[in-house]
Amino acid sequence: MRLRDVTEDDVETYVRMRCDPVMMAGLGGPLPRDGIADKVRRDAAEAAADTSWIKMIVPDPDTPEVVAGSVTLWSHDDADGPVSEIGWMVLPEFQGRGLGKRAVRTLLERARDEDRWGDIHAFPATANGPSNGICRSLGFRLLGERDVDFADRVLRSNHWVIDPATDLPSSR
């Protein structure tokens, strides 16, 4: 598995992730296709500027055109002030292979090694067993449930947090 920055060529992958009813079932339903290309352009610019880590998951480096999903680490303000947040999506045909967990671990290790982002929060839907399992297995601490705004929707989510410098278990 390899991670690479999102580029403007990733529109179709974003459409598959964000406009599909199955992929978006736990996130309030599919998003409209209108605006996805603009979202990809904005994300590619943020990745190029290194203000956010927006990575595409490439399962096999020998076939770099095949993308399994994305993992993103960014900072934003919420009611409590600045927050570093990580999120991920893995396309259905790639789920169950451990790619999401490896991608999340890779970004957490990079955050630890670069001493960047501080505590990192994740907000998977309460009913998303696989994503909550990733958080649990990688050493995140469950702080409780909370409502989270996502794409003009309010979702009930578990609130997890990790300090990659101290909480991330060894990969061995």
Side-chain angles (χ1 to χ4, degrees), residues 46-89:
E46 283 186 42
D50 197 37
T51 55
S52 297
W53 292 345
I54 306 170
K55 303 294 184 182
M56 305 308 286
I57 303 167
V58 177
D60 182 353
D62 291 335
T63 54
E65 69 280 4
V66 176
V67 175
S70 66
V71 59
T72 303
L73 181 50
W74 74 103
S75 187
H76 60 88
D77 289 329
D78 76 1
D80 300 322
V83 171
S84 296
E85 183 175 343
I86 192 166
W88 55 92
M89 296 183 90

Side-chain angles (χ1 to χ4, degrees), residues 86-104:
I86 192 166
W88 55 92
M89 296 183 90
V90 176
L91 292 166
E93 65 269 28
F94 295 100
Q95 293 174 5
R97 299 183 190 182
L99 291 169
K101 181 178 176 179
R102 288 197 320 243
V104 171

Side-chain angles (χ1 to χ4, degrees), residues 6-8 10-11 14 36-45:
V6 63
T7 70
E8 291 186 28
D10 288 311
V11 172
Y14 267 52
I36 295 292
D38 287 337
K39 170 70 173 153
V40 174
R41 275 193 286 284
R42 289 190 309 272
D43 283 0

Side-chain angles (χ1 to χ4, degrees), residues 114-126:
E114 294 186 16
D115 193 24
R116 184 172 172 187
W117 303 103
D119 286 349
I120 298 172
H121 300 257
F123 300 96
T126 55

